[in-house]
Amino acid sequence: MDRRIIGIETEYGIAHSHPGSRSITPEEVARYLFKPVVEWGRSSNVFLTNGARLYLDVGSHPEYATSECDDLLGLISQDLAGESVMRSLIERGEALMHEDGIQGSIYLFKNNSDSAGNSFGCHENYMIPRKLEFSRLSELMIPFLVTRQLICGAGKVNLAGDNCGFHFSQRADHVWEGVSSATTRSRPIINTRDEPHADAERFRRMHVIVGDSNMSQTTQLLKVGATDLVLRLIESGAILGDLKLENPIRSIREISRDLTGRQEVRLASGRSMSALEIQRFFLQHVTAFVEKNGAHHAHVSRVLELWERALDAIETQNLGLIEKDIDWAIKKRLTDAYMAKNSLELSSPRVAQIDLTYHDISLERGLFHVLERRGAATTVVTPESVEEAVTVAPQTTRAKIRGEFIKAAREHGRDVTADWLHLKVNDAQGATVLLKDPFVTEDAAATELINAIRGV
Ligand code: ATP
Ligand code: MG
Ligand code: MG
């Protein structure tokens, strides 16, 4: 498979500030956010004209799942479009809340943990061929994913438990299993629930639960780009040696706590390796693979360069090498400067507040966005492509068809249902259209359905 379908799901943290006003629960805030969505979509679980899914599951974390993308920059634009959609929801939700006499502001955070110790996720979805042996895949993938936080962690001022400090990852402390079919109760690294959202005879979906949500576009590029490359290496049947970890869950926590990357983790074979060595191992194999087989997309060299630079930065402790590119390093620079300027310890609540505000999606308040505007964070996509992704689906996957369907339905006020595989008009007798191949961009039955909605 040369092109791969990839999608990212992001759950957002929610808060309401209420100076002089009664405070409302996150559930109530979420209801205000989704009121306009329910009005036009008749549900708090809808698909948008860009092919994405916007929904409110149990609890109060609004979620945005990008449409199926087959291009890295397109994926980053679609994910950032999700932030933009959430900002629009905030604007409308706040207005409705104020009309009801509840003052204050609504906050959404693209992070993975709240002050009460709850965690919420950012899932990555990679389509893989069915014929790939899943147990071999996960055996090789887990050591990569456990150590991947070095190159793409969001950074965390972690004051819980022993070994407080600035850590690589937000999610590391909230992962409880290697592979499992549950996402919430036992929270695995890879979810094995076999739901491919595609022709199950040909495809499978690797559902990665372990990642942090990223603010930085370059970190996002590296996270997904490197994971896709490692997958390609595994798919090629390469013999990679045995890196099986003795205890992935203990390792992921230990690695998160050691910014030198030198923490040794025990392999099942009895050997020990450091997180840096494991990442170097994958980088070397992937580099050799690309030299032999060529780059399969235009950004491979940028991914490899970023990957190597991130590992060099950790090895030499010269974080200046990645201070504009990798979330945890961008955030560390910010918190270090703030602590120095205000003579604060890491344990100060004001430092924790900086960590949180880094993830605020507001363009005015959010510290990551402020840094980006000042040129202190490198970008990968243009604001125009993000703007376009808010309404337009990727044109090279079935998301294009879904997007056209939703657009027609909204323009003509029709009651429809969609999911990743199906399109249906509820108020008509017509059959449900099934799109089993995520790479299709034209489908006769879907065109007929869309034309019928448009009355052409
Ligand atoms: P949960 O929310 O419980 O994790 P889920 O993973 O099935 O369930 P969604 O939130 O609906 O849930 O997100 C699915 C993601 O998978 C989307 O980002 C979508 O683009 C992506 N996706 C859709 N089809 C495929 C496919 N065939 N292969 C890989 N990813 C896919
Ligand atoms: Mg989801
Ligand atoms: Mg998911």
Side-chain angles (χ1 to χ4, degrees):
M1 198 159 49
D2 211 22
R3 281 156 69 213
R4 187 192 309 284
I5 295 290
I6 307 180
I8 296 181
E9 302 159 63
T10 307
E11 288 183 300
Y12 289 82
I14 200 167
H16 168 231
S17 79
H18 46 90
S21 170
R22 86 180 162 89
S23 121
I24 59 174
T25 64
E27 285 76 12
E28 283 175 279
V29 182
R31 264 203 300 282
Y32 278 110
L33 285 178
F34 274 75
K35 216 169 160 187
V37 177
V38 173
E39 257 155 40
W40 69 255
R42 299 174 180 87
S43 163
S44 58
N45 175 6
V46 298
F47 279 81
L48 308 177
T49 59
N50 65 2
R53 179 180 179 201
L54 171 68
Y55 67 112
L56 187 64
D57 223 339
V58 280
S60 55
H61 295 289
E63 176 169 333
Y64 177 91
T66 71
S67 54
E68 304 89 334
C69 300
D70 67 346
D71 165 73
L72 270 181
L73 300 203
L75 176 66
I76 293 171
S77 297
Q78 288 290 335
D79 181 64
L80 289 171
E83 269 189 51
S84 182
V85 167
M86 292 293 171
R87 280 191 286 272
S88 308
L89 293 188
I90 290 180
E91 207 179 307
R92 316 254 294 278
E94 271 179 0
L96 291 166
M97 199 174 76
H98 296 164
E99 276 170 28
D100 284 352
I102 302 160
Q103 300 311 311
S105 310
I106 296 175
Y107 295 70
L108 287 181
F109 302 100
K110 197 184 192 186
N111 66 355
N112 305 101
S113 50
D114 63 19
S115 56
N118 302 307
S119 179
F120 35 98
C122 172
H123 302 174
E124 298 142 69
N125 301 273
Y126 301 85
M127 191 158 86
I128 53 176
R130 170 65 53 176
K131 61 180 194 302
L132 192 65
E133 193 197 325
F134 205 80
S135 58
R136 175 174 163 268
L137 167 78
S138 47
E139 217 171 278
L140 291 165
M141 242 340 167
I142 284 177
F144 170 70
L145 292 173
V146 164
T147 52
R148 191 182 66 161
Q149 49 182 318
L150 268 62
I151 61 170
C152 60
K156 182 173 171 66
V157 175
N158 196 350
L159 304 177
D162 343 318
N163 258 324
C164 300
F166 190 98
H167 300 162
F168 281 126
S169 162
Q170 307 211 333
R171 195 71 169 154
D173 283 5
H174 300 278
V175 171
W176 296 100
E177 264 187 279
V179 294
S180 143
S181 62
T183 40
T184 43
R185 254 173 309 114
S186 67
R187 220 171 274 132
I189 294 170
I190 299 176
N191 182 303
T192 55
R193 194 179 64 214
D194 192 357
E195 214 179 348
H197 298 322
D199 182 351
E201 287 181 9
R202 292 170 60 202
F203 305 118
R204 197 169 170 154
R205 174 170 63 122
M206 180 173 82
H207 194 187
V208 176
I209 309 299
V210 76
D212 285 358
S213 300
N214 290 118
M215 299 302 293
S216 151
Q217 298 180 16
T218 32
T219 312
Q220 187 93 288
L221 180 80
L222 176 56
K223 173 170 81 176
V224 180
T227 308
D228 168 60
L229 281 164
V230 170
L231 260 179
R232 258 162 228 280
L233 179 67
I234 296 170
E235 284 164 357
S236 77
I239 315 267
L240 289 177
D242 183 10
L243 291 192
K244 196 164 172 225
L245 302 174
E246 184 186 78
N247 185 336
I249 299 314
R250 194 173 59 220
S251 299
I252 202 169
R253 287 165 173 62
E254 288 172 355
I255 291 169
S256 181
R257 284 166 167 67
D258 168 40
L259 291 197
T260 71
R262 287 166 199 273
Q263 169 75 43
E264 298 266 323
V265 294
R266 273 178 72 82
L267 308 188
S269 65
R271 267 198 310 154
S272 290
M273 276 174 95
S274 73
L276 261 176
E277 282 167 348
I278 295 176
Q279 276 295 306
R280 289 264 187 226
F281 173 92
F282 282 103
L283 174 60
Q284 271 157 17
H285 277 84
V286 162
T287 305
F289 177 78
V290 170
E291 275 164 13
K292 181 158 170 253
N293 298 286
H296 68 288
H297 62 70
H299 317 291
V300 168
S301 56
R302 186 164 182 191
V303 170
L304 293 178
E305 189 277 323
L306 268 170
W307 192 350
E308 183 162 30
R309 181 146 52 86
L311 299 184
D312 288 347
I314 297 169
E315 191 156 343
T316 61
Q317 288 294 295
N318 176 9
L319 299 190
L321 289 174
I322 49 170
E323 67 186 8
K324 291 183 173 186
D325 295 301
I326 305 298
D327 265 320
W328 68 263
I330 303 173
K331 189 193 279 180
K332 184 163 192 312
R333 182 182 179 206
L334 179 72
T335 48
D336 283 351
Y338 185 76
M339 286 191 296
K341 185 164 167 226
N342 299 287
S343 309
L344 295 171
E345 301 283 323
L346 193 75
S347 56
S348 161
R350 287 168 64 193
V351 180
Q353 188 62 37
I354 294 285
D355 182 342
L356 179 65
T357 309
Y358 182 84
H359 300 274
D360 187 335
I361 65 166
S362 155
L363 295 178
E364 293 79 41
R365 290 184 308 247
L367 290 176
F368 174 78
H369 288 295
V370 170
L371 290 173
E372 194 179 74
R373 264 201 308 284
R374 284 193 201 145
T378 314
T379 55
V380 171
V381 296
T382 62
E384 293 74 29
S385 66
V386 177
E387 180 71 39
E388 181 177 286
V390 172
T391 50
V392 182
Q395 296 296 296
T396 47
T397 72
R398 71 178 166 203
K400 167 176 182 272
I401 303 173
R402 184 183 314 115
E404 284 163 8
F405 174 73
I406 299 291
K407 186 159 183 277
R410 290 196 63 177
E411 283 171 7
H412 293 267
R414 298 293 291 274
D415 177 15
V416 299
T417 317
D419 63 27
W420 301 111
L421 283 159
H422 303 97
L423 309 174
K424 184 174 178 359
V425 180
N426 293 327
D427 50 6
Q429 294 284 318
T432 301
V433 171
L434 171 67
L435 303 169
K436 270 173 39 170
D437 181 352
F439 288 115
V440 296
T441 54
E442 298 291 338
D443 178 89
T447 305
E448 200 176 309
L449 202 62
I450 294 166
N451 285 343
I453 294 174
R454 293 198 179 282
V456 294

